[in-house]
Each structure stands twice: as structure tokens, then as C-alpha cells.
Amino acid sequence: MAEKTTDDEALKARIITHMNQDHRKSLSHYLQHYSKLPAAIADTAELVDISLSRITLSMRSPPTDTETRTTYLPIRPSPMQALSESRERLVYMANECLTGLGLSPHVVKAYAPPGIVGVAVMIGVLTGLWSFSSKRNLEEGSFVRMYLLQNYHPLADFLMRVHVFGFIAIILAHIAECLHLQKTRLRKHQVETYSKVWWLWTVNCALEGFGVFGRFDKEVEEVIKAKKKH
């Protein structure tokens, strides 16, 4: 019995170390889904113990991080007969949490820059913003009126009258696109908010618009292909 107990303790230590080092995000998801805790607290989760029937997690309360709390979660879908079954149970719980939180197991960790068309669209958006930002940019003899509108005065005069509305419309449209990207893709595919990759996708969307969505979807496809290879 002593040898078995020693083996169990060694296995438990390996499980705890592995989860804390390689699967912190899953621990966070456990607390967000099962305990309904906000991500700010759940992200501080650490696995401190595991038994055949439950796992024990500790967490802190930002921003002070001085108070440590402990919570116990039952092993799902049923208690284990041996710790060797822990991987199967913890994976089951992780997938259950992903479904409950509306997240995908396909995590996007990279940013794909735009091609020539995307760059052209961004230049067009920036040009539009600059054109509508001031009446002067649409006045007689201006670059916009002479070269972009080819001195088509009826259109230029109309744009001068509505330039404020045009400027606001472009801003609001691209804000809406960024929010849609966050809701339907960045959060779903677990791109960490305010990370470098998150900023790259978000700023790109703010400038390019919907062209980003197709490129992001292709990045998801690459993640799926890479998983299948392994």
C-alpha cells in the first residue's frame, strides 16, 4: 500500500504542475463556467489539489491580489476510480466549459496581415476620413475636388454640406465592425483582450473593415489543419 500511495502522490503532483503550467486558461474557464466568476478573478486560478471526486482551486481578487480564496469543484461527469483517469475527466470538463462559455477549442494566437487589396481599402478609408474631417478638404481647388472627384462640382458641393455626417458615419461603421469582430471571432477563439495579437486584429479591422473577417476565418482554418496533423 505504501508504494501505491507514493505513486499516487507523485501522479497528483505531476497533474497539478502540468495544469498550472500548461492549462491555466482551462482552470480559468472552470471558474468562469462552474462558479460563475468574472474572468478577472478566474484568471488567477491555480490548481492546489485533486482527488477522485473533486478538484481544489485557489484564486485572488484583483487589483490587490492579497486575499486568497478556495473553491471546490466536483469531477465531471462522474468521480474517478483512479487518478490515472484525470486527463479524460479534466478534458471533458474543459470542453464542457468551452461550450457553456460560447468559446471555440480552436485558439487563434497569430495575426495575418492584409494583402494588396486590404492595404488599398485601408488607404481608401483613411482618405475618406481625411476628406470628411474638414470642409477645406472639399473646397474649390482642393486635392479631393480636383483629383479624387475630378472637379465634379455637384458631388463635391453635396459632400461639403454633409461632411460632418460622413465623418461620423465612417467612424461609427468601423466601430461597429470592431465590436462585431470581438463578439463573433476574437472572444470566441480566445484571443486575449488587449494582447498584441488582439490589438493588431482590432486596429486592422478599424481601418480595413469586413475584409479582416475572411482573413481571420482563414487563420482559424489553419489552426484546425495544424491540429489534425498532430
Side-chain angles (χ1 to χ4, degrees):
M1 287 294 291
E3 184 178 351
K4 181 178 179 181
T5 301
T6 301
D7 289 345
D8 285 347
E9 288 301 319
L11 178 56
K12 179 189 292 190
R14 288 197 298 272
I15 294 168
I16 292 172
T17 300
H18 174 63
M19 292 300 293
N20 286 330
Q21 288 184 349
D22 301 327
H23 298 286
R24 293 295 294 270
K25 187 57 71 174
S26 291
L27 298 179
S28 175
H29 292 161
Y30 292 163
L31 292 180
Q32 290 181 56
H33 179 63
Y34 296 128
S35 299
K36 309 303 179 186
L37 291 176
I41 295 177
D43 285 347
T44 68
E46 288 188 13
L47 181 64
V48 295
D49 195 17
I50 180 170
S51 68
L52 299 181
S53 60
R54 70 184 189 183
I55 59 174
T56 304
L57 297 169
S58 70
M59 73 216 76
R60 298 181 301 280
S61 300
T64 59
D65 286 342
T66 57
E67 182 184 353
T68 299
R69 292 160 32 188
T70 301
T71 191
Y72 306 93
L73 299 176
I75 295 289
R76 291 181 52 80
S78 60
M80 299 181 286
Q81 299 299 314
L83 281 177
S84 57
E85 300 173 5
S86 62
R87 183 181 186 281
E88 176 186 341
R89 295 295 199 283
L90 293 173
V91 168
Y92 176 91
M93 292 170 68
N95 289 333
E96 188 173 57
C97 290
L98 289 176
T99 300
L101 295 170
L103 302 176
S104 170
H106 309 304
V107 180
V108 171
K109 298 180 180 179
Y111 164 72
I116 296 176
V117 174
V119 172
V121 170
M122 288 192 287
I123 292 173
V125 170
L126 290 172
T127 301
L129 283 171
W130 173 74
S131 300
F132 284 119
S133 65
S134 174
K135 222 179 222 186
R136 293 179 181 178
N137 297 330
L138 295 160
E139 289 178 345
E140 188 77 32
S142 67
F143 174 83
V144 175
R145 186 181 284 254
M146 292 177 61
Y147 297 101
L148 299 184
L149 300 179
Q150 295 295 303
N151 278 324
Y152 185 60
H153 298 299
L155 177 58
D157 292 340
F158 170 76
L159 293 179
M160 279 183 65
R161 292 194 298 270
V162 301
H163 78 96
V164 173
F165 298 102
F167 184 81
I168 293 173
I170 294 174
I171 294 291
L172 291 179
H174 284 264
I175 288 175
E177 288 168 338
C178 288
L179 292 174
H180 188 63
L181 180 71
Q182 170 67 20
K183 182 179 180 180
T184 63
R185 286 166 173 79
L186 295 180
R187 180 185 177 277
K188 179 180 178 181
H189 293 283
Q190 304 183 55
V191 178
E192 185 177 351
T193 305
Y194 305 132
S195 65
K196 178 181 177 181
V197 173
W198 184 91
W199 277 114
L200 287 170
W201 283 112
T202 301
V203 171
N204 194 165
C205 184
L207 296 176
E208 185 182 354
F210 269 97
V212 169
F213 290 76
R215 207 160 63 252
F216 189 93
D217 292 342
K218 288 182 180 179
E219 192 64 29
V220 174
E221 291 175 6
E222 292 301 317
V223 171
I224 295 173
K225 288 179 183 178
K227 279 190 174 182
K228 287 181 178 178
K229 289 181 180 179
H230 292 85

